Amino acid sequence: MKRTTYAKYAAAALAGTTVLAACGTESVGTGPKDAATLADTVADTSWVPRKVTVDGKDYVLPSKGAHKKARIVFRPGAADPDTGGGDSGGSVGCNSIGADVDIRGDSVKVSDLVRTLIGCPGAVGEFEEKFVGVFDNDLKARLEGPPGARTLTLTSPEHDTITLREAKPPALKGTRWSLGENAYLTLTKNNTVTGSLGCNTFHGRATVKHGTDNDGTIEFGRLATTRMMCAGPVMKTERELAAILDGKVSYQQEHDSLKITKAPGKSVTARAE
């Protein structure tokens, strides 16, 4: 039986970059070209664990609460034998999970798995236990479906399976984008923006012009802010954010991350909440 390592804290990779491949259904093989295809397509994309099948019985991700948090991201790399956990992982609805992942051909080797120790009640806890039991293994991968709607099936040597679905990237407008502790912004459909700089809240005009793929520009008007005074480091961060969210900026969205650039060396990366 494989040994699963538990830790109080685990690396949690919850955001990624969607790498698009050719349209149509993908079938992963074992040749060198296929190895690159699997690693390039699966890595840095958020995957939602939908179902775990153990001994022929299906365990489905609970539809209430857990599905909003459940995300797994693969970041392949060499395992560090002296460190538990790794850059791959995320959550299946309760605890954070971290692991090392090595992808070669259609093989996905998961090792050094660690997770936090939050008590997970009912169906959420049961789903997580079944997921970890299958995931911490030497798995075979099958990738199917068109870009943006792929299904990834991982099969263990015992023929148990995990079914994951490619997560849809959040909409640029209407999503609350976290800029750091207590700081965020939300772009609205009527060309306005609201948010917080970490202490003071703000609102104003923001006109989005889409470019190619997932980039473009945002024209920020003069932002109206509250005038609360906070601790020195917080106010310093506010001034830096306000300087970026001023006038015309470029943006690049990579799945659930949004990079806003005012000038070379002057940018901020936000995460979808």
Side-chain angles (χ1 to χ4, degrees):
M1 179 179 294
K2 286 181 62 62
R3 177 177 64 85
T4 301
T5 303
Y6 297 92
K8 186 175 181 180
Y9 300 100
L14 300 179
T17 301
T18 302
V19 182
L20 300 181
C23 295
T25 298
E26 296 177 59
S27 180
V28 177
T30 57
K33 181 179 180 181
D34 295 313
T37 298
L38 178 62
D40 292 345
T41 307
V42 171
D44 293 326
T45 295
S46 291
W47 297 91
V48 181
R50 305 297 300 179
K51 181 178 69 175
V52 181
T53 302
V54 178
D55 295 331
K57 182 177 179 180
D58 292 339
Y59 299 85
V60 179
L61 179 72
S63 59
K64 292 184 178 180
H67 71 286
K68 294 181 179 179
K69 183 179 178 182
R71 294 288 188 277
I72 296 294
V73 176
F74 297 90
R75 293 195 172 95
D80 184 347
D82 298 322
T83 304
D87 294 332
S88 297
S91 173
V92 294
C94 183
N95 282 287
S96 296
I97 297 171
D100 288 312
V101 170
D102 183 19
I103 300 178
R104 300 186 184 187
D106 64 348
S107 296
V108 178
K109 181 179 177 61
V110 180
S111 61
D112 293 331
L113 187 147
V114 298
R115 56 174 164 164
T116 51
L117 299 176
I118 301 171
C120 309
V124 176
E126 183 180 40
F127 183 83
E128 182 177 289
E129 290 299 325
K130 298 300 181 183
F131 178 93
V132 169
V134 178
F135 189 63
D136 188 20
N137 224 318
D138 294 337
L139 306 163
K140 292 294 184 181
R142 182 172 179 81
L143 188 64
E144 300 175 288
R150 297 183 181 93
T151 297
L152 175 65
T153 304
L154 302 175
T155 303
S156 74
E158 295 76 28
H159 304 292
D160 298 325
T161 62
I162 295 173
T163 304
L164 305 101
R165 188 68 182 269
E166 186 176 6
K168 293 182 179 179
L172 176 64
K173 293 185 177 182
T175 296
R176 176 165 157 149
W177 297 96
S178 174
L179 297 165
E181 187 173 359
N182 299 322
Y184 65 90
L185 67 81
T186 302
L187 298 161
T188 69
K189 293 182 179 179
N190 60 347
N191 293 325
T192 63
V193 61
T194 61
S196 170
L197 296 171
C199 175
N200 288 284
T201 59
F202 67 85
H203 67 274
R205 298 289 296 174
T207 304
V208 176
K209 291 186 178 180
H210 299 286
T212 59
D213 297 325
N214 297 314
D215 59 14
T217 63
I218 305 172
E219 182 83 35
F220 289 102
R222 183 180 179 85
L223 299 181
T225 69
T226 55
R227 297 184 178 276
M228 296 175 57
M229 292 299 295
C230 297
V234 177
M235 297 306 295
K236 179 177 183 293
T237 300
E238 283 215 350
R239 289 191 293 271
E240 292 172 349
L241 286 175
I244 294 173
L245 306 180
D246 179 36
K248 190 173 184 179
V249 302
S250 62
Y251 78 85
Q252 183 175 27
Q253 183 181 350
E254 295 183 344
H255 204 73
D256 53 1
S257 71
L258 177 67
K259 184 176 183 180
I260 299 173
T261 303
K262 176 69 175 178
K266 196 173 183 180
S267 66
V268 61
T269 298
R271 302 288 181 184
E273 295 184 348

